[in-house]
Amino acid sequence: MKRISTPRRTASLASQLVDSLRSHIEAGGWPVGTRIPSEQALMEELGVGRSTLREAIGALVHLGMLECRIGDGTYVRASSELQAVMVRRAGSADRDSVLELRTILEEYASGAAALRRSEEQLRGLRELLADADAACAGQDATAATSVDALFHRAVVRASGNDLLVEVYDHLGTALTASPGGLPWDAAGAEAHAELHRRLVDAIEARDADGARDAAAAIVRLTRDHEAGATRER
């Protein structure tokens, strides 16, 4: 008996475009937090029609990698589908659970960083401390939040544990951002900065216990600060 021929399947143009845009994002072509080019610019660059582009963008929004902001444009929300899932899950959890997870990850990472860091990584941490001080001195809350996130990622990278780095990077700002960008008063900001200095000093001294203690203290201070701000509302 003659076999039925299997139909040949070819991906639609929109599906191919989804794969292309996803690869571009994963490769860092559009970093997380950046606004992607306008619809018209992408149509001209990619040689596709409006409906095809909108279908592809819509698919990436559904996956959680892009976010459309009415009147502002479309922004990169996550660098991969896995990151999108993890950020969404962390975003739906209560804040205490997020901070508890942050404590677990950063305590271990800080202790490991104290034992494994390179001189170049140590210099990088010192430079980020200086950047944080400059942002606070200039009362630039946005810059301070950004530098703080970079600092904690740098500590995790200094741990030398690639899997931990990947998990931490996938969780992204869900771990380090404070809801609503809550402001710190002068005393709180100084205590926050002092704990970061203590953490780097411990990493430099290869004091794993001291580094873990400092990392845990940073998260406790953040939790106490957020709890106090919530009570004042």
Side-chain angles (χ1 to χ4, degrees), residues 44-79:
E44 295 173 359
E45 178 181 351
L46 300 170
V48 297
R50 192 178 305 276
S51 61
T52 297
L53 178 61
R54 288 183 174 177
E55 183 178 345
I57 295 294
L60 292 173
V61 169
H62 181 71
L63 289 174
M65 294 180 69
L66 294 179
E67 177 185 7
C68 290
R69 302 178 187 174
I70 297 175
D72 191 17
T74 301
Y75 287 76
V76 179
R77 188 180 180 204
S79 61

Side-chain angles (χ1 to χ4, degrees), residues 16-182:
Q16 294 177 56
L17 185 55
V18 169
D19 290 340
S20 178
L21 294 177
R22 180 167 48 200
S23 296
H24 187 67
I25 293 170
E26 290 174 346
W30 294 334
V32 173
T34 60
R35 183 170 59 184
I36 70 173
S38 68
E39 188 176 82
Q40 186 60 42
L42 286 174
M43 287 167 55
E44 295 173 359
E45 178 181 351
L46 300 170
V48 297
R50 192 178 305 276
S51 61
T52 297
L53 178 61
R54 288 183 174 177
E55 183 178 345
I57 295 294
L60 292 173
V61 169
H62 181 71
L63 289 174
M65 294 180 69
L66 294 179
E67 177 185 7
C68 290
R69 302 178 187 174
I70 297 175
D72 191 17
T74 301
Y75 287 76
V76 179
R77 188 180 180 204
S79 61
S80 69
E81 291 177 62
L82 177 59
Q83 184 185 40
V85 170
M86 294 180 76
V87 168
R88 188 160 54 241
R89 179 64 188 90
S92 66
D94 65 88
R95 188 62 179 165
D96 282 345
S97 295
V98 172
L99 290 171
E100 186 174 326
L101 176 59
R102 179 180 170 185
T103 301
I104 293 168
L105 295 178
E106 292 190 9
E107 267 196 79
Y108 177 83
S110 297
L115 300 175
R116 300 171 183 167
R117 56 84 180 163
S118 67
E119 291 299 319
E120 181 179 359
Q121 288 170 328
L122 181 61
R123 284 194 298 273
L125 291 173
R126 291 289 183 196
E127 289 171 2
L128 286 169
L129 282 183
D131 291 343
D133 287 343
C136 289
Q139 297 185 331
D140 188 338
T142 300
T145 299
S146 177
V147 172
D148 188 64
L150 290 173
F151 174 86
H152 288 287
R153 284 187 174 92
V155 171
V156 174
R157 287 190 174 89
S159 74
N161 186 319
D162 291 341
L163 183 57
L164 177 59
V165 171
E166 185 175 359
V167 169
Y168 195 88
D169 279 350
H170 281 324
L171 283 167
T173 56
L175 288 179
T176 53
S178 296
L182 298 173

